[in-house]
Amino acid sequence: MENRTFNETQSLELITRMIQETRTHMERHAGVPFLVWGYVTVIVTLAVWFALTRTQNPTWNLLWFALPALGMLLTQLTDDRKSKTVVTFIDRIIRHTWLVLGCSAVLVSLLTLFSPLQLPILFIILLLMSIGTILTGAMIRFRLCIASGILGILLSTLCLWVSPLDSCLVFAAAFVVMQIIPGHILNYQSRKQCHV
Amino acid sequence: MFKELNPLLHSELRLAVMSILIGVESADFVYIREQTKASAGNLSVQIDKLRTAGYIEVEKSFRGKIPCTVCRISPAGIDAFEEYVAALQSYIHKK
């Protein structure tokens, strides 16, 4: 591109093209945050389920706190914000959406563990995460994410009907559908787009 | 009566830089160079002109040991860009 002047039509075409290319720009490894939180959630949930099934000791519920700790640690380690060449408004909105939902999930967990309230915690957290998945899908225009988030909401209601132990399995399955599968597909698509 | 096109923006490369920055929170020099396919020297000069006019803010830092230049559009730049697009539309509609 040169530093030349041009006519009005060319000028509008250039503006449209630049805005369009930036809007459709996708970072490599776009699905990594989904994969990090998806795998960590599934592994921790299955570990809690396994420990509770084997020992019947509710103290193992404290293992849930490994989830935000591990998730945040791995998110920090895989965070590519420092190497990102462009930061869009959507990036910021997505980050803030998940921050609000994540803090709400931690608050609900603390309320359940340290207060007499008996909240259906897995239902509430799954509902919050499904909402986050749908919103993210809508923002990045990724229909699979929206669909998997809707499925997550349906699965969250199942947590209200099955036993607390079985709801762990529903919770893990929902995260496979909502985060792991879309995360891998998103990574595949971003790799493909970055190679073009 | 046609509105006068802002000469600072009515240049291919500078307009491309502004069009990229209008749609993002920030973009670094490497990204802008990839999108515009301009030479580093020319892009650097044009970015400096936009910065001097107050249309963009430029932040120079380091990523590890690699220098990094991050650009973002300023409120004055947004106003200038909007005025430029309005002027363009008046030209096209009257043709």
Side-chain angles (χ1 to χ4, degrees):
Chain A
M1 195 170 282
E2 298 297 323
N3 184 32
R4 63 181 171 93
T5 53
F6 45 177
N7 68 35
E8 300 80 39
T9 314
Q10 287 171 318
S11 189
L12 267 186
E13 279 169 6
L14 174 73
I15 293 171
T16 311
R17 183 160 51 88
M18 283 296 138
I19 291 176
Q20 182 68 20
E21 281 175 13
T22 307
R23 196 177 64 76
T24 55
H25 172 78
M26 194 185 263
E27 290 286 339
R28 200 182 288 261
H29 313 308
V32 168
F34 272 90
L35 292 178
V36 165
W37 285 98
Y39 278 114
V40 166
T41 306
V42 169
I43 290 166
V44 171
T45 305
L46 291 180
V48 171
W49 173 81
F50 183 77
L52 289 175
T53 312
R54 282 296 172 100
T55 66
Q56 315 292 325
N57 182 354
T59 315
W60 283 108
N61 275 311
L62 290 173
L63 205 57
W64 284 113
F65 285 102
L67 204 163
L70 264 174
M72 281 190 280
L73 178 73
L74 287 171
T75 302
Q76 281 296 315
L77 290 174
T78 56
D79 187 13
D80 64 345
R81 243 184 300 167
K82 285 172 191 160
S83 63
K84 254 187 167 179
T85 55
V86 63
V87 179
T88 65
F89 298 110
I90 287 176
D91 292 334
R92 183 159 57 98
I93 296 169
I94 290 175
R95 207 164 51 239
H96 288 182
T97 301
W98 282 107
L99 188 67
V100 170
L101 292 173
C103 289
S104 308
V106 171
L107 181 71
V108 172
S109 311
L110 292 172
L111 272 176
T112 309
L113 280 172
F114 300 112
S115 82
L117 291 170
Q118 290 294 310
L119 297 170
I121 183 152
L122 292 184
F123 160 70
I124 296 171
I125 290 178
L126 192 49
L127 191 62
L128 287 172
M129 299 303 116
S130 304
I131 291 168
T133 307
I134 293 171
L135 290 176
T136 305
M139 283 185 268
I140 62 173
R141 298 177 190 211
F142 186 41
R143 283 186 190 162
L144 178 71
C145 227
I146 300 173
S148 66
I150 293 169
L151 194 58
I153 289 181
L154 296 176
L155 286 171
S156 73
T157 59
L158 194 59
C159 290
L160 294 170
W161 302 104
V162 298
S163 70
L165 268 178
D166 288 344
S167 67
C168 287
L169 296 177
V170 175
F171 192 74
F175 270 82
V176 172
V177 172
M178 268 188 343
Q179 309 260 285
I180 295 178
I181 296 172
H184 280 296
I185 294 172
L186 208 52
N187 261 358
Y188 171 74
Q189 285 185 350
S190 67
R191 261 200 313 269
K192 214 166 74 173
Q193 191 175 318
C194 289
H195 274 123
V196 174
Chain B
M1 183 76 183
F2 288 132
K3 288 180 186 174
E4 196 187 337
L5 288 174
N6 183 340
L8 199 66
L9 296 186
H10 198 57
S11 131
E12 191 179 19
L13 185 49
R14 287 195 294 268
L15 184 61
V17 172
M18 292 293 282
S19 304
I20 291 167
L21 294 179
I22 197 86
V24 299
E25 197 163 277
S26 65
D28 80 357
F29 187 84
V30 176
Y31 177 80
I32 298 171
R33 189 156 57 90
E34 279 170 3
Q35 293 296 307
T36 57
K37 297 177 178 66
S39 69
N42 190 14
L43 181 61
S44 187
V45 170
Q46 303 315 321
I47 281 178
D48 201 48
K49 282 186 183 171
L50 291 170
R51 186 190 59 79
T52 309
Y55 291 173
I56 65 170
E57 290 158 7
V58 179
E59 191 184 305
K60 289 179 190 278
S61 60
F62 282 88
R63 267 181 203 147
K65 288 178 181 174
I66 304 162
C68 166
T69 304
V70 176
C71 305
R72 50 178 65 87
I73 199 161
S74 68
I78 295 171
D79 290 344
F81 188 81
E82 284 173 353
E83 278 170 25
Y84 179 81
V85 172
L88 270 185
Q89 283 170 339
S90 75
Y91 269 83
I92 287 165
H93 289 147
K94 287 184 182 178
K95 265 189 177 176

